[in-house]
RNA sequence: GCCGACGUAGCUCAGUUGGUAGAGCACGGGUAUCGUAAACCUGGGGUCGGAGGUUCGAUUCCUCUCGUCGGCACCA
């Protein structure tokens, strides 16, 4: 008998006879480890827990202590769900696509034919069937089969057949068998269905087969699973709380903005409170840019359509642009979908010299995009938006320096807003789909390498993504998470060698020749005011830092008649100092007014009565605290000014 | 745009064999003038998203349409 060396999670190495099964190995070690072992890998590839181990190779057990085990559990849960569905008569003939684990759970793409879709109302029945199969504790067996066998096994599942046919010739095909259910599967599963105890189906939604909108749409059933009941409970709790954090809900509760059918879809109206937050952000970022040698301009939201034909945007994004306005004399005007051509016109207005470069043009530029109806979401995806836009025109050899200086400014801004949860994405073109992009392989190779080099020089962490570039060049995107877990781009820096060509931009070099071509950098630091505000709302859960808060100080006179004048005097002092303060004139009990100030998340609430009036004092209650403190107005003024100054510095 | 669900007062939501609607909060009026998370009384407010159809009669059933939500696709 050949002996095989097995390395265990605790580092121990033991010898076993070949032919032993991982599940026996796990059981043989110790009771505690056996309970924790969920899957096994041989030479880095998953093997079934119930399969025999061959005579050679490096073997490792994966236990519930490993983060990977949660993926294995969820992957197994998706199979469990598929098996349950097949056992329910009305889903007996359901076809299945793919059923992977994802970040917060798993899904399975299903197709039960038109008119027979799965609905959330079916979830209890499906879950009950899943629990039944868990009780049966069916062993999950994994083994290799031939292509012919595979095609025979899945003959009734056209999606699976397509997947099998797409596997390269010679590729190993493995299946996972649990009782009467067979899955096309690469492995990474729990030993038996009894391991999957704590799960919940979450939602059902449409999804194109293989992610292609030309393909048939399937029903994607989402679920999640955990090892412990408490973890599942906590996760469901988190999902519920995320809704409270959703900027659309807070926006309504705090009167920040609204959208209405009368105004139009994707066209939010900013109410005074939301407008204040936005104004603060706008003042901040414009000041910041002016201090970084940006030239702020105003350019029209409406321009000649030819501008976008020249830039190439018309060709690439016509579907998502508002239709041109035919002015009747051969001229077509277009609501601009982006600001670059406008800023290019600023550059082109006069001959430029290398001494003028880098030239940084910036604007809070309003633009319009006809986003598809299904994409519209609150403030984060809209049809009219104002971008904190900027374009730098730079000598090619200074490109990396300029890139780094923009990134530096971006990180300073993030610090001022306390934004810490983000990651950098280097967005390259999709090498398999190059017709979407400007056709110049050398340019792409070079600029993508430049981008990467600049990031490496700075020693900043990033990840790379193919197919995320703009048509004119690669970019650095800053990816953040929304309350509901979606990822979106907040800021971006884009390299552009194309538009300077298209618009024939030049500058006079040191050599006196006027045929030098600048490079362009497109950048948005806080992105669009809409999306950035949405992000801030969710990040702060509506409890804004004082410098951003719509109302900073709520003043409550104990008795409006007796203390109203004093309240208005205090308000005046605060307003003269540039602060946003309001005297509450509603004739209600104090408890009511305090409650209102707290639910509106006002940073400071002042209560003024006999005890304060004589001594020029205020009694202050800070947001989120129950405690109150009576201090002099002078001290309060110092406190709030320090509070505001801490965030609103521009350097 | 696609698949599914939903659309009743400003907001959150009730409203079943089809007989033109109700609560709480909010808002207006009144009483009380109150020291840190909801005083009490009272009033107004709805073409039940819109259009068409079936019916003696539609918030309810059907069709279309607009919008919202969950995803997918898209995102310069």
């Amino acid at each position: 008998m050949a002996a095989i060396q097995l390395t265990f999670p605790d580092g121990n190495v033991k010898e076993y006879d070949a032919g032993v099964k991982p599940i026996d190995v796990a059981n043989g070690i110790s009771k505690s480890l056996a309970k924790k072992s969920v899957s096994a890998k041989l030479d880095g590839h998953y093997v079934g827990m119930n399969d025999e181990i061959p005579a050679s190779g490096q073997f490792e057990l994966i236990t519930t202590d490993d983060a990977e085990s949660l993926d294995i559990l969820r992957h197994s849960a998706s199979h469990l769900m598929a098996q349950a569905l097949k056992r329910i008569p009305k889903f007996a003939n359901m076809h299945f696509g793919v059923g992977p684990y994802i970040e917060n759970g798993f899904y399975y793409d299903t197709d039960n034919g038109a008119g027979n879709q799965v609905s959330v109302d079916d979830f209890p029945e499906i879950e009950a069937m899943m629990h039944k199969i868990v009780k049966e504790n069916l062993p999950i067996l994994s083994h290799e089969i031939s292509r012919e066998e595979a095609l025979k096994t899945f003959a009734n599942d056209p999606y699976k057949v397509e997947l099998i046919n797409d596997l390269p010739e010679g590729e190993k095909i493995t299946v996972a068998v649990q009782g009467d259910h067979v899955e096309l599967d690469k492995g990474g599963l729990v030993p038996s269905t009894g391991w999957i105890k704590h799960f919940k189906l979450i939602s059902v939604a449409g999804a194109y087969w293989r992610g292609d909108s030309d393909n048939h749409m399937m029903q994607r059933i989402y679920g999640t699973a955990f090892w412990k009941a408490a973890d599942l409970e906590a996760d469901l709790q988190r999902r519920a709380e995320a809704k409270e954090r959703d900027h659309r809900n807070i926006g309504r509760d705090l009167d920040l903005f609204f959208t209405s059918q009368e105004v139009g879809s994707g066209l939010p109206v900013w109410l005074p409170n939301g407008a204040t937050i936005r104004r603060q952000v706008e003042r901040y970022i414009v000041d910041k840019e002016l201090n970084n040698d940006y030239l702020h301009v105003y350019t029209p939201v409406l321009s000649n359509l030819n501008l976008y034909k020249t830039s190439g945007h018309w060709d690439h994004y016509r579907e998502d642009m508002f239709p041109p306005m035919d002015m009747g004399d051969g001229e077509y005007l277009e609501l601009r979908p982006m600001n670059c051509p406008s800023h290019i016109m600023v550059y082109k207005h006069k001959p430029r010299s290398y001494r003028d470069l880098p030239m940084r043009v910036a604007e809070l530029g309003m633009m319009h995009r006809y986003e598809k109806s299904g994409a519209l979401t609150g403030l984060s995806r809209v049809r009219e938006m104002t971008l904190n836009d900027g374009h730098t025109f730079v000598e090619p050899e200074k490109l990396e320096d300029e890139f780094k200086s923009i990134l530096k400014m971006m990180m300073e801004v993030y610090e001022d807003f306390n934004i810490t949860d983000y990651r950098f994405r280097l967005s390259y073109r999709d090498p398999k789909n190059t017709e979407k992009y400007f056709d110049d392989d050398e340019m792409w190779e070079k600029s993508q390498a430049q981008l990467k080099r600049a990031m490496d020089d700075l020693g900043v962490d990033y990840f790379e993504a193919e197919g995320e570039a703009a048509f004119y060049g690669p970019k650095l995107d800053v990816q953040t998470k929304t309350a509901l877990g979606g990822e979106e781009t907040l800021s971006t820096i884009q390299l552009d060698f194309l538009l300077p060509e298209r618009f024939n931009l030049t500058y006079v070099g040191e050599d006196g020749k006027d045929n030098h071509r600048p490079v362009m950098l497109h950048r948005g630091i806080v992105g669009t005011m809409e999306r950035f505000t949405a992000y801030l709302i969710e990040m702060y859960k509506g409890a804004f830092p004082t410098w951003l808060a719509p109302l900073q100080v709520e003043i409550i006179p104990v008795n409006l008649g007796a203390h109203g004048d004093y309240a208005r005097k205090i308000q005046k002092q605060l307003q003269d100092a540039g602060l946003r303060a309001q005297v509450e004139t509603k004739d209600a009990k104090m408890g009511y007014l305090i409650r209102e100030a707290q639910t509106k998340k006002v940073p400071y609430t002042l209560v003024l009565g006999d005890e304060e009036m004589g001594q020029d004092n205020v009694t202050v209650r800070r947001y989120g605290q129950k405690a109150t403190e009576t201090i002099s107005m002078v001290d309060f003024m110092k406190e709030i000014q320090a509070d505001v100054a801490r965030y609103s510095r521009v350097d």
Side-chain angles (χ1 to χ4, degrees):
Chain A
M1 263 296 190
I4 176 170
Q5 281 204 339
L6 307 183
T7 310
F8 295 104
D10 57 8
N12 282 334
V13 179
K14 287 190 185 176
E15 286 206 346
Y16 279 82
D17 290 336
V20 70
K21 294 174 180 176
I23 200 160
D24 296 331
V25 173
N27 283 328
I29 308 159
S30 76
K31 268 198 167 159
S32 63
L33 186 56
K35 264 186 204 158
K36 284 198 245 169
S37 304
V38 290
S39 194
K41 274 184 177 174
L42 188 70
D43 293 333
H45 295 284
Y46 289 111
V47 292
M49 287 298 276
N50 303 288
D51 295 340
E52 292 185 358
I53 308 172
S56 66
Q58 183 62 37
F59 175 84
E60 86 187 272
L61 281 174
I62 296 158
T63 77
T64 53
D65 293 340
D66 299 313
E68 195 179 354
S69 71
L70 211 48
D71 297 339
I72 290 166
L73 173 68
R74 289 164 176 176
H75 183 185
S76 309
S78 82
H79 292 183
L80 173 66
M81 179 174 76
Q83 184 172 21
L85 283 162
K86 276 193 175 165
R87 284 198 189 176
I88 296 171
K90 66 176 165 177
F91 302 127
N93 296 315
M94 184 177 260
H95 294 151
F96 292 85
V98 293
Y101 64 85
I102 52 176
E103 194 183 340
N104 296 311
F106 63 87
Y107 67 76
Y108 216 123
D109 284 345
T110 67
D111 180 3
N112 202 42
N116 295 307
Q117 278 101 342
V118 187
S119 99
V120 289
D121 299 335
D122 298 316
F123 283 5
E125 189 181 358
I126 301 167
E127 285 168 347
M129 187 61 84
M130 288 169 75
H131 281 293
K132 190 165 171 262
I133 299 169
V134 169
K135 273 222 179 91
E136 292 170 17
N137 196 19
L138 303 170
I140 297 171
L141 306 163
S142 176
H143 56 85
E144 199 177 330
I145 60 173
S146 70
R147 186 172 292 254
E148 291 67 36
E149 282 177 284
L151 287 170
K152 216 164 100 189
T153 307
F154 295 102
N156 292 323
D157 229 327
Y159 300 103
K160 298 290 188 192
V161 168
E162 189 179 326
L163 290 174
I164 294 165
N165 284 330
D166 279 5
L167 288 172
E169 202 57 47
E171 177 107 348
K172 219 167 83 169
I173 300 176
T174 52
V175 290
V177 182
Q178 50 193 63
D180 55 356
H181 184 69
V182 186
E183 288 275 354
L184 186 65
D185 189 86
K186 286 200 293 280
L189 297 165
V190 296
S192 67
T193 57
W195 285 70
I196 314 159
K197 288 201 172 78
H198 309 291
F199 56 83
K200 180 96 186 137
L201 301 188
I202 303 290
S203 62
V204 57
Y208 295 108
W209 167 237
R210 304 197 121 176
D212 187 337
S213 57
D214 290 336
N215 284 344
H216 186 253
M217 185 156 265
M218 307 182 71
Q219 275 64 55
R220 178 168 294 178
I221 307 173
Y222 287 90
T224 193
F226 289 88
W227 292 117
K228 294 183 193 140
D231 290 345
L232 175 62
E233 274 312 306
D235 183 71
L236 297 176
Q237 187 71 25
R238 262 195 301 278
R239 287 171 197 263
E241 276 164 14
K243 285 194 184 120
E244 288 169 30
R245 198 182 190 111
D246 190 318
H247 76 276
R248 290 165 295 190
N249 294 331
I250 295 176
R252 185 193 59 235
D253 293 343
L254 299 187
D255 290 312
L256 302 181
F257 69 93
F258 69 89
T259 52
S260 81
Q261 221 167 326
E262 291 98 313
V263 177
S265 202
L267 300 170
V269 175
W270 294 73
L271 291 164
N273 289 341
T276 299
I277 296 165
R278 171 171 169 174
R279 186 169 55 250
Q280 289 301 108
V281 173
E282 289 181 344
R283 285 175 175 173
Y284 165 87
I285 195 65
V286 170
D287 284 348
K288 181 83 182 174
E289 286 169 347
L290 292 174
N291 286 343
N292 280 272
D293 300 322
Y294 279 78
L295 308 167
H296 260 267
V297 298
Y298 294 100
T299 59
V301 292
L302 202 58
S303 290
N304 194 302
L305 180 62
N306 289 330
L307 219 44
Y308 311 107
K309 287 186 174 169
T310 304
S311 70
H313 287 91
W314 176 249
D315 279 344
H316 276 268
Y317 299 108
R318 191 180 313 189
E319 294 302 307
D320 296 314
M321 287 166 67
F322 278 88
M325 291 167 234
D326 182 353
M327 306 314 292
D329 52 4
E331 188 188 27
Y332 288 86
L333 292 180
E334 178 66 27
L335 274 173
R336 71 172 169 203
M338 94 303 296
N339 310 308
C340 7
S342 310
H343 291 181
I344 286 171
M345 289 301 114
V346 172
Y347 179 92
K348 272 192 92 160
H349 175 62
K350 279 164 77 169
R352 304 292 173 184
S353 131
Y354 73 96
R355 293 175 188 279
D356 298 325
L357 306 185
M359 180 172 160
R360 307 181 177 101
V361 181
E363 178 177 9
L364 293 168
M366 181 186 281
M367 50 202 207
H368 294 80
R369 296 180 182 175
Y370 193 73
E371 300 286 2
K372 306 254 192 330
S373 58
L376 301 172
T377 307
L379 282 182
S380 41
R381 198 79 183 269
V382 291
R383 287 179 171 159
E384 177 188 280
M385 67 216 89
T386 299
L387 181 64
N388 159 231
D389 210 352
H391 296 90
T392 298
F393 302 88
V394 60
E395 296 166 83
E397 53 275 17
K398 301 273 176 63
L399 177 64
E400 286 183 43
D401 287 343
E402 183 62 15
F403 176 86
K404 288 174 188 170
S405 84
I406 294 170
L407 190 61
K408 179 171 162 283
M409 179 167 73
M410 186 186 282
M411 290 173 88
E412 287 170 6
V413 170
Y414 274 42
E415 202 172 302
D416 284 346
F417 281 97
N418 286 324
I419 300 173
T420 53
D421 187 14
Y422 60 87
R423 51 190 200 137
F424 290 117
R425 179 179 78 190
L426 299 192
S427 300
Y428 303 147
R429 72 171 168 169
D430 181 354
K432 293 188 288 290
N433 191 13
T434 53
E435 67 273 17
K436 260 178 79 180
Y437 306 93
F438 165 47
D439 180 23
D440 182 342
D441 291 346
E442 194 193 327
M443 181 289 275
W444 281 97
E445 298 298 318
K446 192 177 127 198
S447 56
Q448 290 179 179
Q450 263 181 310
L451 185 62
K452 188 168 157 59
R453 190 165 61 231
M455 293 298 282
D456 288 337
D457 278 359
L458 290 168
V460 192
D461 279 340
Y462 59 83
F463 69 103
E464 296 167 278
E466 287 178 342
E468 296 291 345
F471 73 84
Y472 48 69
K475 53 185 179 145
L476 168 75
D477 292 317
V478 184
Q479 300 299 109
T480 53
K481 287 227 167 116
T482 67
L484 298 179
E487 195 173 60
E488 53 185 24
T489 303
L490 209 55
S491 312
T492 181
I493 310 177
Q494 309 175 353
L495 275 49
D496 183 1
F497 296 83
L498 176 63
L499 294 189
E501 294 282 339
R502 291 254 169 100
F503 283 94
N504 192 26
L505 302 186
T506 57
Y507 65 90
V508 181
E510 238 173 314
D511 58 6
K513 292 186 176 142
D514 64 358
N515 59 353
H516 295 269
R517 184 79 78 207
V519 181
M520 260 178 95
L521 282 157
H522 306 237
R523 37 107 291 172
I525 302 297
V526 296
T528 70
M529 303 324 300
E530 286 77 12
R531 180 173 291 183
F532 191 67
T533 304
Y535 181 79
L536 292 178
I537 292 169
E538 295 185 355
M539 182 175 109
Y540 291 121
K541 288 193 223 167
F544 294 97
T546 307
W547 76 283
L548 288 171
L551 178 64
Q552 296 169 319
V553 187
E554 171 81 326
I555 303 169
I556 302 176
V558 173
N559 179 301
L560 192 57
H563 313 117
D565 286 344
Y566 181 57
R568 279 182 282 274
K569 190 184 125 195
I570 295 293
Q571 179 196 25
K572 185 76 170 48
Q573 285 179 32
L574 291 164
Q575 286 176 328
D576 286 347
L579 295 161
R580 297 182 288 277
Q582 151 186 306
V583 176
E584 183 54 66
T585 55
K586 189 185 288 177
D587 191 12
K589 290 183 84 165
M590 185 182 299
Y592 179 91
L593 298 176
I594 293 288
R595 178 174 191 275
E596 206 166 50
Q598 293 298 308
T599 54
K600 295 290 180 193
K601 304 177 197 269
V602 181
Y604 296 94
T605 304
L606 301 182
V607 172
L608 306 180
D610 289 340
E611 292 168 28
E612 291 77 17
M613 199 158 66
Q615 291 84 352
D616 243 355
N617 280 347
V618 296
T619 294
V620 56
R621 174 168 171 161
R622 297 160 186 95
Y623 174 75
Q625 297 179 19
K626 265 215 145 90
T628 63
E629 190 185 0
T630 302
I631 54 177
S632 72
M633 181 55 191
V634 175
D635 284 345
F636 176 66
M637 188 65 95
K638 276 187 202 154
E639 177 183 341
I640 189 169
Q641 282 182 322
D643 186 3
V644 168
R646 192 166 72 233
Y647 292 97
S648 58
R649 73 160 194 274
V650 171
D651 41 31

